[in-house]
Amino acid sequence: MSVKAELAFDVCWEVYRNVREVLETKRGSAGAQNWKNSDKFLWRPDIRPKLNEWIADFTLAGVAALDGPEWASRIVLFRLYYLGLAPYEKARHFLGLSENTWVDWTEQIRRQCGKELLRRRMFPPRKYFVNGT
């Protein structure tokens, strides 16, 4: 069964948003951990390191998919809306896009990035978290 690239992107982006929320709730931001609050032994076989890796891998997949001068405007939209989680209205206004252009660009982004996510085997996410990348 073949999965549409757009569906793969949508599912992976939903995981990305949830992971960001979990990490920001747990330690205040998705940034670096405060080493003073760490235990003596940092290695633990839990899912938290994989959550950080998901954010990094999703970002890298999107940037790789939109590499090149023909995608320059789309990468700005990707970083602002999909990675930065800026609200739709603010992102659209900031970029100066009409609703039709927004729809066209987001469909292109979802298709291109979805193909890259499938190529990198990030979809389905359960396999990513169970087997690793």
Side-chain angles (χ1 to χ4, degrees), residues 43-88:
W43 183 87
R44 290 184 191 82
D46 67 12
I47 196 157
R48 276 181 282 160
K50 279 305 234 184
L51 295 179
N52 287 329
E53 291 170 12
W54 179 269
I55 288 185
D57 287 342
F58 182 85
T59 301
L60 292 172
V63 169
L66 301 173
D67 188 31
E70 69 277 12
W71 294 103
S73 53
R74 298 342 179 258
I75 193 78
V76 174
L77 173 56
F78 176 75
R79 287 181 173 157
L80 182 66
Y81 181 70
Y82 291 108
L83 296 180
L85 305 176
Y88 159 76

Side-chain angles (χ1 to χ4, degrees), residues 16-131:
Y16 172 86
R17 291 188 319 229
N18 290 330
V19 165
R20 285 273 309 260
E21 183 179 333
V22 166
L23 292 177
E24 288 171 5
T25 301
K26 184 134 183 105
R27 59 178 187 232
S29 72
Q33 183 177 0
N34 183 354
W35 65 271
K36 292 179 182 178
N37 295 337
S38 299
D39 293 336
K40 183 177 178 183
F41 301 103
L42 294 177
W43 183 87
R44 290 184 191 82
D46 67 12
I47 196 157
R48 276 181 282 160
K50 279 305 234 184
L51 295 179
N52 287 329
E53 291 170 12
W54 179 269
I55 288 185
D57 287 342
F58 182 85
T59 301
L60 292 172
V63 169
L66 301 173
D67 188 31
E70 69 277 12
W71 294 103
S73 53
R74 298 342 179 258
I75 193 78
V76 174
L77 173 56
F78 176 75
R79 287 181 173 157
L80 182 66
Y81 181 70
Y82 291 108
L83 296 180
L85 305 176
Y88 159 76
E89 282 297 329
K90 287 185 179 183
R92 193 171 69 80
H93 178 71
F94 178 79
L95 295 169
L97 300 177
S98 69
E99 288 184 19
N100 290 335
T101 302
W102 177 274
V103 170
D104 290 343
W105 284 16
T106 55
E107 286 177 1
Q108 293 169 5
I109 290 168
R110 290 172 54 235
R111 189 174 315 109
Q112 278 299 112
C113 293
K115 289 177 187 175
E116 185 65 17
L117 292 166
L118 287 168
R119 189 187 74 72
R120 291 178 183 228
R121 296 187 177 134
M122 290 183 68
F123 183 86
R126 71 178 174 275
K127 287 186 178 178
Y128 176 93
F129 287 106
V130 172
N131 298 330

